[in-house]
Structure formats: C-alpha cells, structure tokens
Amino acid sequence: MKIWKSAYIILVILSCSCSVFPQNDLRRIRFEFESSTGYLNSDLGVVIPAQFDSGTDFVDGIAVVKDEKGYHVINEKGEIVFRTEADYVEKPNNGMILFKMDGVYGFYDYTGKVKLEGYLHAKSFSEDYAIVRTTQKAYYINKHGEDVFPDLVISGGGNFSNGYAVFWVKTNEGIQKGLINNSGEIILPPKFTILGEFSDGLCEASFNDKVGYIDLSGRFVIPPKYNYGFAFNQGIAAVQYRTFERKQPFYPFWRLINKSGDIVKDLSEDVVVFSDFIENYAIIGVFDNTREKMLYGYLKKNGETLINPIFDDADVFHDGYAVIEYKGRDALLDKFGTIIYLRDILNPHVTSR
C-alpha cells in the first residue's frame, strides 16, 4: 500500500548550479498514472509528465525520482538538479538527502555534494539531527557529522519530532525504549517496550503487549489497555481495542478517543485504520470477501467518513490531495471527496467511464 510518510517542510534558499527556489505558486502535486509518476501544479495542470518509475513528494522545492537510469533530484520545472549512482535515495529532509551506495550510507546536500558518508546505517535528518551507526556505536550527529551527545550510550534511535526522539538500548530483557530531548538529556529512562512519537503532548507507550498513552513525566494518562494506537492529532487518536477472529481475515475493532481517554466514536467492526490523521484524514480499510482484497477509504477526525472504503489503493493526503486507485483507474482525491481521474487531466478530450 502506498503510504508515504509525511515530513515537516522547512523552507530554505539554496544557491546551486540549478535553481532550487521554493515558491508558493510552484506547488507540485505528485500523481501516478499507468505505473509512472509525474507532477501537477496547483491548478491540476501537468507540469512534469508521468515519466518516472517512482518519485517522492516535493520538499523544499525538490523531489527525488527514479527511472531506468537510476535516481535523480529534480526541481519544480522537472529540471535535473543532480544525478546519483546511489542504490537508494530518500526524499529531501531538513536540508539533506540520505543515500545508500554499495552498502554504505551517507548524505547529500541539496546541490548533490556528498557532505557525510561511511555509515553502516543512518536515518534522514530531522530537526537538525540524524541517527547513524558505525561499527563502534550508534549516535546522533549534526550536519557537520559531529557526535552531538557523546555521553549518550544507546543501541539505536528514532528521528526527532517536536524536540524529542525515542532511543533504545539492548538489555537481557530485550529492547527497552526511552526518550531524549534535543539537548541529549534523558527525559524518560529506557523502560518501555513500545514508545511512539510525542504529539499533542502524549505518545503511545507499553511495558508489555498493551498500549496506552503517557505524558512527558512517563505517567499513563490513558491506561495501557489497547492492542495498538496511532498518534494523537488535534486531540483525537485511533486505537484498536479488541480483536475477534471470524474465519479469515482477522477483524480488529477500532475506536476514536480523546486525550482524556473518552470514546469519541466506535467504528464499525469490519473497519481497519491504516494511518495517523494526516491533514485531518486517516486511511481506513474494509476487507471485501467477494473480491478477497482490502478496499480503502478515508475517515475524518470526528468519526465521519470522507469517503467509504471503495478504492483499490490509497495514499495519505499531501497538500490537499491523495493518490488513489479506483476500479483499476489512477486518480486523485481532494478533501471534498471528489475523485479526479488522471486520464481526464492527461487526455481532456477522452471521458472516463
């Protein structure tokens, strides 16, 4: 399923051989048509034709695309900013681009210059830091490659979000997770088996196999009684509260709760939640027994459906649109529930049926 993780967009102005100046009127909307990726402008006009095998959303005025020649970074006009022979490249983030080449990780700047390299593993930069691993240790670096928390002994860590990052250590009891702030101070000691990102002042956490929500003191504001929980967004989170096996597939039961743990709405027993609320909508799914496949739709934070599960595939919303597939046809969905067929945009004289 095409679920792309959304990133915080920090506008920067860079000087390079190929102009990369993000402007509001140069917004680009990714679309997929017949297994190829292209980009539209805010008026849904084709700016960059569907010519790539894959592509990321635009961040800071650039995107990473892939074709038969490999990975490239392009600007909003579709011009190539730089090419790379890397085996894998992630989307731009926080002024840097993570790549992997010959089994080794590194970082380009937005002009294609290799700024850092030589890591056994790494994650993208977020809030000016990235977690990397060498043969000696795992640690957080800044954009100069410096170990920013030299006294912090960890086995691994996640990205910073809202000033905090989850880290973990290996113990005799297994992986234990804790929380640090952006000064490297341990806010929560490593004692959790599950620890999510803080959002709305809470994060999902667990000591065993049940999930609840804690505050920054480590106190469970919502007791650990759920099988799974997504992050809070403007006071609402989706949680899986029990399971029931009815032949096959496996039917979970989901509900929406507020930050006091009160039930906002119990969802229908056949509905599965697949994402956080991103741009106010979460992806949901219902298994179609006749077709023996999952169909997807979108849920609003108040528990109402933007559109019931009818799509063959679905992406989270980005800049007001979601990439979907409906009855084998490539389309976009806007926040009013309107399905915009890509064939109508690319071939305006041909009407979709």
Side-chain angles (χ1 to χ4, degrees):
M1 186 168 61
K2 306 164 188 167
I3 297 183
W4 296 64
K5 296 288 182 182
S6 297
Y8 291 99
I9 299 179
I10 303 174
L11 296 180
V12 296
I13 297 177
L14 300 173
S15 297
C16 62
S17 58
C18 192
S19 178
V20 186
F21 296 111
Q23 300 176 27
N24 292 334
D25 60 343
L26 292 178
R27 182 164 67 102
R28 296 294 176 253
I29 300 164
R30 178 178 57 87
F31 72 90
E32 296 183 14
F33 183 71
E34 296 181 350
S35 300
S36 296
T37 299
Y39 297 88
L40 308 172
N41 62 20
S42 57
D43 295 324
L44 301 186
V46 178
V47 179
I48 304 171
Q51 57 186 309
F52 305 110
D53 297 334
S54 62
T56 71
D57 291 316
F58 270 83
V59 177
D60 298 339
I62 55 177
V64 175
V65 296
K66 184 182 180 184
D67 58 21
E68 71 278 359
K69 296 181 180 179
Y71 288 94
H72 322 297
V73 172
I74 61 172
N75 65 15
E76 290 136 323
K77 297 180 181 179
E79 300 166 336
I80 294 177
V81 179
F82 70 89
R83 303 178 186 271
T84 171
E85 297 181 355
D87 304 313
Y88 171 74
V89 184
E90 286 200 356
K91 70 179 178 181
N93 201 359
N94 203 188
M96 304 284 268
I97 302 173
L98 176 69
F99 71 89
K100 181 181 180 182
M101 187 182 300
D102 298 328
V104 178
Y105 289 81
F107 296 91
Y108 297 116
D109 65 14
Y110 283 0
T111 70
K113 181 180 179 180
V114 176
K115 302 295 290 186
L116 304 167
E117 60 182 332
Y119 304 108
L120 294 182
H121 188 73
K123 294 182 180 179
S124 289
F125 271 86
S126 61
E127 300 185 4
D128 294 327
Y129 298 139
I131 183 73
V132 299
R133 191 175 71 241
T134 64
T135 54
Q136 288 79 32
K137 63 177 182 176
Y139 57 103
Y140 284 93
I141 61 171
N142 59 20
K143 293 178 182 179
H144 300 290
E146 300 164 336
D147 184 349
V148 289
F149 314 131
D151 296 328
L152 184 67
V153 180
I154 60 176
S155 302
N159 289 334
F160 273 89
S161 176
N162 299 316
Y164 300 96
V166 175
F167 72 94
W168 53 87
V169 296
K170 294 180 180 179
T171 69
N172 293 333
E173 289 75 33
I175 299 295
Q176 300 291 306
K177 296 184 177 181
L179 190 76
I180 58 173
N181 63 16
N182 53 17
S183 296
E185 300 168 329
I186 295 178
I187 304 302
L188 298 175
K191 59 181 181 180
F192 299 95
T193 54
I194 296 174
L195 193 61
E197 292 184 354
F198 268 89
S199 178
D200 274 8
L202 299 176
C203 82
E204 60 270 32
S206 175
F207 290 122
N208 41 51
D209 58 350
K210 293 295 182 181
V211 172
Y213 291 84
I214 62 172
D215 59 20
L216 282 171
S217 72
R219 178 180 66 92
F220 274 99
V221 176
I222 300 173
K225 57 183 179 180
Y226 300 111
N227 296 320
Y228 188 84
F230 282 104
F232 271 92
N233 185 291
Q234 295 183 356
I236 300 295
V239 294
Q240 182 191 7
Y241 64 95
R242 68 185 175 96
T243 57
F244 175 72
E245 192 169 357
R246 183 192 302 162
K247 295 181 180 179
Q248 288 293 331
F250 194 67
Y251 281 85
F253 289 72
W254 289 82
R255 65 172 41 136
L256 303 182
I257 61 172
N258 61 24
K259 292 173 65 175
S260 298
D262 301 324
I263 299 171
V264 174
K265 183 174 183 177
D266 281 329
L267 304 183
S268 299
E269 67 178 39
D270 57 344
V271 170
V272 184
V273 181
F274 281 102
S275 78
D276 292 325
F277 284 98
I278 298 175
E279 296 192 10
N280 297 320
Y281 299 97
I283 297 175
I284 57 173
V286 170
F287 191 82
D288 186 326
N289 289 295
T290 302
R291 299 171 62 184
E292 294 187 342
K293 65 175 294 183
M294 188 71 73
L295 298 178
Y296 303 97
Y298 293 87
L299 182 72
K300 300 179 182 179
K301 284 188 295 185
N302 61 4
E304 297 177 359
T305 52
L306 172 67
I307 196 160
N308 289 318
I310 59 174
F311 303 128
D312 301 306
D313 208 347
D315 192 359
V316 296
F317 274 89
H318 183 83
D319 282 343
Y321 293 92
V323 177
I324 59 170
E325 182 182 336
Y326 181 48
K327 294 184 178 180
R329 291 175 289 177
D330 299 301
L332 295 174
L333 182 73
D334 69 16
K335 291 188 174 182
F336 300 101
T338 303
I339 300 172
I340 304 162
Y341 294 102
L342 271 304
R343 187 172 295 280
D344 294 343
I345 295 174
L346 303 179
N347 302 286
H349 301 296
V350 179
T351 302
S352 295
R353 298 180 181 180

